[in-house]
Every structure is written in C-alpha cells, then in structure tokens.
Amino acid sequence: MDSRKDRTPGPAARKLVILDRDGVINVDSDQFIKSKEEWVPLPGSLEAIGRLNQAGYRVVVATNQSGVGRGLFDMATLGAMHAKMSKLAAAAGGRIDAVFFCPHTAADACDCRKPKPGMFQEIARRYETDLTGVPAVGDSLRDLQAAAAVGAKPHLVLTGKGKKTLAAGNLPEGTRVHDSLQAFVNDLLAEEDAKSV
C-alpha cells in the first residue's frame, strides 16, 4: 500500500500513530493468523482508529508477519487480511494509511523484523518525518524496542501478549501502559485536550 501520493512533509506529518497489528488491532494467536477468516478485530479497536483519524492523526501499521517466510500463508492471503482490516476500519469510520510488514523469519537476519527498526525507518522515509516522540503502540517487547530505537514513544497495550510483556518487565524507558487500543486513544486525546486549554 503506497501513500506517497498524499504524504505531507515537515511538522504536519508528525501527527502520526504507528500500530502493531496482531494483539493490538486484532485477536492474536500463537498459531499465527493465517487467513482473512482468522483475522478478527478486537472489540473497539477499529472505532479507536476512527477516533485517531478524526483527531487529525494518520494511522500506519508496522507488523512482523513471519508466517509468510514460514510458508504458513502467502502474500495474496496477507493482502486479503489487510484488505479486510482496511474495509472494516472504513466501516467503523477509520482509515489505515499504510501497512508496513516484514515477511521474514528470524533466520533471515533482515533489518525489518522487529525489534530491529527497519520498518520504522521506512515509515520515516515514506512520510519524510522524524519519528521522535511519535506514539507507537504494541503488545510485545520487540514492538516497544523497535519504537525506542528510532526515538518513537513506546506504548504497551495489555491485549494480545501485553499482560505477559508487562509481567516480564525490562520495558524501554518511558513506556506507557494502557488496557487496550481504545484506552490508549482515550489517554492520547485527553492529553491533547489538556494541552489545548
């Protein structure tokens, strides 16, 4: 999904939120989400994306999808999952600007698989913006580490693997914790409102 046609350089592009996918937007599975039928949104997550859009945020997704590299599903199936995600988001009043994904396994030693920051660096290039302070939401330590590596602000949600991640500790400095994507959006927009008063 290419967003070059509408990218906005400079400070305006900073109004960006980066979301992990599985466990943040949709139900996660230790057996991987392998089809569009298995892709099921978490309650309220798509409406939360709509609220971000209404508040002037672009929403992009950065997701490890090693199921491709493992041969569990192909690129066409991944595309069908993301088409479903975008369609359901639109029905809930939201828009996902772009999906960045890593199809590799750990054995590939790529630069894009979180906790490496390659996907985040690509987002910065695509939107011609510095990611310092940009909120990045995930449910696993590697999501938070990738965000911290580029100066983005890590936010942990307790859906998906989030509770296990919190219990394990060693979160990047400054990580904020929220019950869900909805709760993250509530907190983010409340802080914005407080600053504007």
Side-chain angles (χ1 to χ4, degrees):
M1 192 181 294
D2 193 340
S3 305
R4 288 188 187 134
K5 62 186 178 298
D6 62 355
R7 63 182 171 181
T8 307
R14 275 216 177 97
K15 200 143 177 181
L16 186 67
V17 171
I18 301 167
L19 304 179
D20 179 46
R21 196 194 81 173
D22 301 334
V24 174
I25 301 173
N26 58 281
V27 175
D28 199 2
S29 167
D30 290 336
Q31 281 72 51
F32 297 86
I33 305 301
K34 301 179 292 299
S35 69
K36 70 176 186 178
E37 289 75 26
E38 290 179 13
W39 194 94
V40 177
L42 285 163
S45 66
L46 300 176
E47 292 79 5
I49 290 170
R51 289 181 61 214
L52 286 171
N53 297 148
Q54 289 153 23
Y57 283 91
R58 284 180 163 177
V59 175
V60 300
V61 171
T63 178
N64 285 355
Q65 291 296 323
S66 68
V68 174
R70 295 168 196 264
L72 299 176
F73 52 87
D74 59 18
M75 294 291 283
T77 301
L78 184 63
M81 289 185 228
H82 292 161
K84 179 179 179 179
M85 177 171 67
S86 292
K87 183 177 180 180
L88 292 178
R95 176 172 185 243
I96 294 167
D97 221 60
V99 177
F100 296 79
F101 62 92
C102 168
H104 307 114
T105 67
D108 293 320
C110 63
D111 292 326
C112 50
R113 181 175 163 82
K114 294 181 284 186
K116 291 187 178 175
M119 276 190 285
F120 285 75
Q121 291 164 345
E122 177 61 25
I123 290 167
R125 284 192 293 273
R126 178 79 60 90
Y127 291 96
E128 296 181 341
T129 191
D130 179 3
L131 295 183
T132 301
V134 168
V137 183
D139 68 321
S140 69
L141 182 60
R142 63 190 177 195
D143 300 326
L144 309 177
Q145 290 170 328
V150 296
K153 180 77 175 165
H155 292 263
L156 174 68
V157 290
L158 300 181
T159 48
K161 298 179 180 71
K163 288 179 181 172
K164 286 183 183 174
T165 302
L166 181 61
N170 295 316
L171 304 181
E173 188 176 347
T175 298
R176 301 276 301 276
V177 181
H178 314 269
D179 286 338
S180 64
L181 184 56
Q182 278 178 304
F184 158 75
V185 172
N186 289 342
D187 293 343
L188 181 70
L189 299 186
E191 285 170 18
E192 271 199 2
D193 288 345
K195 285 177 189 170
S196 67
V197 171

